[in-house]
Amino acid sequence: MSKRESAKYKIDRRLGENIWGRPKSPVNKREYGPGQHGQRRKGKLSDFGLQLRAKQKLKGHYGDVSEKQFRKVYEEANRRKGDTSENLIGLLESRLDAIVYRAKFVPTIFAARQFVNHGHVNVNGRRTNIGSYRCKPGDLIEVREKSKQLVIVLESVALAERDVPDYIEADHNKMTATFARVPGLSDVPFAVQMEPNLVVEFYSR
């Protein structure tokens, strides 16, 4: 299990939203923020505040992505042809740790990063231990043979709280997943509304 267990719920509390849709999230019981001032009525956010919140929410959803990493992803999305906000989502969903999470091999995005880092995953037959590794459509991601019976994998596959999206073709008998295509915003099963257009506005100020 991920070492970030407590910290990931802090993200939920701070943002006031259950951004992964997890049944254990404290937001399900307490919708106010953490700390002694958490229950104070919040004022209306400025445009900058809305943009910052949208950025924190999207960045937080993908786990341990640093600000430097996240900005680099934005810059690449901005360089590419087409809609920058759609490109941003496509690049984030192409990350190996995101695909391992979406394929339900692990229960959380934090566990996905750790699972990849510990060498439990092959991409096209080669061991890959970098969570930010960018997969291409057609890439085959598989749980390594010796890792297929890990409790975390077996329990996660059985979880009913989320489904595998249609841009990933997962076979839970063989513990493999094919990254079928790069998704757009409407394809990704976010538990809360994400606003990548505000993230683009935040970085393009």
Side-chain angles (χ1 to χ4, degrees):
M1 195 55 141
S2 166
K3 63 186 179 191
R4 288 283 307 272
E5 184 78 36
S6 59
K8 72 171 179 278
Y9 290 135
K10 271 187 188 173
I11 297 171
D12 272 3
R13 288 289 307 283
R14 191 168 65 236
L15 293 170
E17 291 186 73
N18 183 357
I19 63 174
W20 297 284
R22 301 278 292 162
K24 288 183 185 175
S25 173
V27 177
N28 297 342
K29 296 176 188 169
R30 299 180 299 240
E31 291 192 350
Y32 50 87
Q36 68 186 84
H37 304 300
Q39 294 186 62
R40 280 189 178 169
R41 204 157 57 89
K42 292 184 175 69
K44 191 179 177 195
L45 284 173
S46 64
D47 287 349
F48 173 78
L50 290 169
Q51 292 162 4
L52 178 62
R53 184 184 169 84
K55 191 262 293 186
Q56 288 174 325
K57 193 161 59 167
L58 188 62
K59 183 159 114 21
H61 181 84
Y62 289 94
D64 286 329
V65 182
S66 69
E67 177 59 32
K68 188 177 176 183
Q69 272 183 316
F70 195 74
R71 189 178 184 102
K72 279 176 75 174
V73 174
Y74 160 74
E75 286 168 355
E76 177 157 352
N78 194 35
R79 279 195 303 270
R80 294 189 171 195
K81 289 180 182 175
D83 186 308
T84 303
S85 58
E86 291 285 340
N87 291 344
L88 179 63
I89 295 297
L91 287 169
L92 289 167
E93 285 295 312
S94 299
R95 289 171 58 97
L96 178 57
D97 54 3
I99 294 170
V100 166
Y101 170 62
R102 298 285 183 223
K104 283 182 68 174
F105 295 146
V106 288
T108 69
I109 190 69
F110 298 93
R113 170 72 67 89
Q114 197 173 38
F115 193 70
V116 173
N117 285 351
H118 289 183
H120 296 300
V121 175
N122 287 343
V123 178
N124 297 329
R126 296 183 66 177
R127 185 177 180 179
T128 307
N129 61 1
I130 299 165
S132 60
Y133 175 86
R134 188 167 302 144
C135 296
K136 297 184 286 295
D139 280 356
L140 179 69
I141 294 91
E142 56 188 329
V143 177
R144 299 187 79 205
E145 196 61 45
K146 65 178 185 179
S147 309
K148 289 179 180 177
Q149 297 305 313
L150 288 174
V151 172
I152 190 173
V153 177
L154 298 176
E155 286 183 351
S156 181
V157 166
L159 281 176
E161 67 189 52
R162 60 191 174 93
D163 297 319
V164 178
D166 64 4
Y167 53 89
I168 293 171
E169 296 164 1
D171 183 336
H172 289 148
N173 293 319
K174 296 179 181 176
M175 295 295 180
T176 63
T178 302
F179 186 46
R181 61 184 172 84
V182 177
L185 175 61
S186 60
D187 301 315
V188 182
F190 290 119
V192 296
Q193 184 184 359
M194 293 294 178
E195 298 163 301
N197 56 310
L198 293 181
V199 180
V200 172
E201 287 175 19
F202 175 85
Y203 282 122
S204 58
R205 277 176 299 114

